[in-house]
Amino acid sequence: MTISIRTRLLALMLAAALPALGIMLATGRELEENVVSRAESAALQQVQNMAAHHARIVENARLLLATLAKTSEVRSLAPRASQELLADIQQRNPVYVSLALADAHGSILARAPEGPLPQEGPELAQAAFFTAALKNGDFVTGDYAHLEAARRVVLNFAQPVAGAASDGRSGSRGVLVAAFDLHHFGSLFEGAGLPVGSVFTLTDAKGMRLTRFPEAEKYTWVPDLPRMIERMSGPAEEGTFRERGVDGVLRLYAFKRLHFAGAPFPYLMIRLGVPVDEALGQARAVVRRNVLLLGLAAALFMGAAWVLGEVSVVRRLRGLVAAAARLEAGELGARAGLPGGGAGGSDGGLGGEDEIGRLGRAFDSMAQALEKREQERDAYENEVCHLNEFLEDRVEKRTKELAAANKELTATLESLNQAQKHLIQSEKMASLGGLVAGVAHEINTPVGIGVTAASHLEDKTRAMLDEFRGGALKRASLEEYLGLCDESTHMILANLRRASDLIRSFKQVAVDRSTEEKRVFRLRSYLEQVLLSLRPHLKKTAIVVELECDPELEIDSYPGLWSQIVSNLVMNALQHAFEPGQAGRIGITAALEQERLRFTFSDDGRGIAQEHLGKIFEPFFTTYRQKGGSGLGLSIVYNLVTQTMGGTIHVASEPGHGAVFNIMVPLAPPVPEPREPKEAKEAGPA
């Protein structure tokens, strides 16, 4: 079988073109792998930046709520002042859907912006993050919540507001609540400059898609694709993979699992997807172009092999093969340099530029294209390095800004602590003035007895010294003196202890009556202090007061109001229920009953006439006016119970069988509205 020169030349040209095709495909493959690697790194860097931004959001929320919890407006649970403060903070931080201040029972005291909140009252009080903040006394990151009306997902934060009782014990009086809007990541996504068709997704540990950009409303709070969850649930905390999204587009995804200390969910999955066609589009276009050029060159080679069969064709092809070999060796500047054929020569007499010349020119164009592509790749790598340096500079600048902000917040917190100390000291000094008048009269008797006993002991001691120095000391005199010393010291110590108890009781009661501060206290011990302060009135009578209350019963209420209620009821009984010198009994009982406090005051005196029962709570009604009664005692008790404490009071009595006052108040009485300053009332309108 004879093979023509054209066939041989065609086979030779095809064999010469195969190395160039291999180099081109290998270069294209390497270029594609480099582009994929850079795209994966860029996507993973974007995801890490988003995760770091989310972590900074949680930390900023913790610092913001901790700072607000230290302000005097929030610590005092003042609704109006707290409302203004929260409104100003929310305007400065629009990433928070809402900022609110609630008491320990979930009642909203202040909110920004104004309007209903997703959770209020009992629903808020039973929320896991709310109860955790009250229980732990520290900042709490809540779970993600879906606002169906707004088609948004928010992340709740809670910070307890600490307060201190008069006995020194601390507790949480309220909770600051902030709701962060995940739509904030949409602005970050839009400003990231990502390729067209990119998507950003937040998914919780249960597989629920919290939000997705773009098309957030369509894909918010719907289950994520199981294959995506499986890809992101492996042992690695971050990584990349290729997968088709819910819209069927093949994307290159980068993910990261983000953990938050103390959060009710184990982790949050952040995912960024870039379309593969967008990431590899330029590299594939170059490969297609080079393959097209190679195909064109191959066609020219085959045409030349079909037309030229002379030995001169083979000789000229050797130069082309040599150039291809140099190109294969990595010398991108290699060129064929074949001249076009001339008329009447060994080139076949075709005239002008022949097929081999065109093939040489095509080969040179291909080599030039490869060299240009290599230069473009080097330029692209230099540009990527420049962008990395720019990102490092931005990160360093942001780090310095955060350090400066932290320093400023620390200084602000320190100044707030100093202001708090000054306020506490001022209140302590103000409370001293009201103690002296009540203490002076009552402690006069025990102090006077102690002084008399000490004076008598001093006289006896001086007499004993005289007998001792004169040598006239007798055993009987010494025994008498020692007995006197024992009796006098016991008398002095007992009266000093009595004076100490009176002073301590008067101090607590006087402070509570001068303020309307709400605090947690043990009811029985406080009632005993109030009764001790009434001792100057009770000791002049034959009335016995019996107190029945659990010593461990604690209530969160207003001790000053309870002091006034008990004092008015006791003084009313002493004036109206018993004749002077008459023996009798006053009974006081307190116990919990169906989440309320039942307080009962009874006496076994003369009772109340039936025609007077309906009038005893009216102002200025009294049957004791001729002896100085004002008729305001029980009226004040009625107003304190029903208006200030939000409770009820009922009286039952029959002539000759005493009277019984039944009081029912909630365990958490409402917070009274702040009173208008006296100076403002006196000034009147301008």
Side-chain angles (χ1 to χ4, degrees), residues 308 310 312 316 341-352 354:
L308 298 178
E310 292 83 1
S312 60
R316 298 178 69 185
S346 60
D347 296 331
L350 297 176
D354 58 13

Side-chain angles (χ1 to χ4, degrees), residues 36 54 92 102 159 192 250 360 467 527 529 585:
V36 169
H54 197 297
R92 297 173 184 269
Q159 171 69 41
L250 180 63
E467 291 181 10
L527 293 178
Q529 293 178 3
R585 171 191 169 277

Side-chain angles (χ1 to χ4, degrees), residues 425-635:
Q425 186 63 26
S426 298
E427 292 179 1
K428 288 182 178 179
M429 296 301 295
S431 66
L432 293 178
L435 300 178
V436 177
V439 175
H441 177 75
E442 185 62 22
I443 68 173
N444 184 49
T445 299
V447 171
I449 294 174
V451 170
T452 301
S455 177
H456 181 60
L457 182 60
E458 180 184 18
D459 293 339
K460 287 296 184 179
T461 301
R462 188 177 297 110
M464 286 298 296
L465 285 174
D466 291 341
E467 291 181 10
F468 176 74
R469 291 169 183 170
L473 182 60
K474 299 179 180 179
R475 179 183 181 89
S477 299
L478 180 59
E479 291 178 352
E480 180 183 358
Y481 173 74
L482 291 177
L484 177 64
C485 288
D486 181 64
E487 180 181 358
S488 299
T489 52
H490 278 82
M491 184 180 300
I492 293 171
L493 182 59
N495 282 277
L496 288 179
R497 286 176 178 171
R498 179 185 175 193
S500 176
D501 293 340
L502 290 172
I503 291 172
R504 182 167 57 254
S505 174
F506 272 116
K507 178 180 178 181
Q508 182 63 58
V509 174
V511 170
D512 288 334
R513 288 197 182 182
S514 62
T515 63
E516 291 187 2
E517 180 183 359
K518 182 182 178 184
R519 61 181 174 87
V520 178
F521 60 95
R522 292 193 175 183
L523 184 59
R524 181 183 179 90
S525 61
Y526 188 77
L527 293 178
E528 289 174 348
Q529 293 178 3
V530 174
L531 294 175
L532 186 59
S533 68
L534 296 173
R535 186 174 178 180
H537 302 283
L538 292 170
K539 70 181 182 179
K540 300 176 183 179
T541 68
I543 308 301
V544 176
V545 179
E546 297 179 358
L547 176 60
E548 182 179 348
C549 179
D550 185 1
E552 302 299 325
L553 175 59
E554 290 186 348
I555 61 173
D556 184 9
S557 186
Y558 303 93
L561 303 186
W562 280 107
S563 173
Q564 192 167 2
I565 290 171
V566 174
S567 298
N568 287 6
L569 290 175
V570 171
M571 294 305 299
N572 181 75
L574 293 180
Q575 292 177 357
H576 298 280
F578 303 100
E579 295 292 340
Q582 178 184 351
R585 171 191 169 277
I586 292 177
I588 299 176
T589 61
L592 295 180
E593 185 176 312
Q594 297 180 353
E595 300 300 325
R596 295 171 68 87
L597 177 66
R598 174 180 289 276
F599 181 87
T600 303
F601 182 92
S602 62
D603 65 73
D604 58 356
R606 64 166 61 98
I608 305 174
Q610 292 298 319
E611 63 271 16
H612 295 160
L613 276 177
K615 302 178 181 180
I616 59 173
F617 294 127
E618 295 179 1
F620 306 109
F621 175 79
T622 180
T623 60
Y624 200 67
R625 194 175 306 278
Q626 67 276 11
K627 297 183 180 180
S630 64
L632 293 175
L634 292 181
S635 175

Side-chain angles (χ1 to χ4, degrees), residues 207-226:
M208 182 63 69
R209 187 186 290 119
L210 302 178
T211 188
R212 175 186 183 270
F213 302 103
E215 298 180 298
E217 294 184 359
K218 181 179 179 180
Y219 295 104
T220 293
W221 206 256
V222 295
D224 206 346
L225 297 176

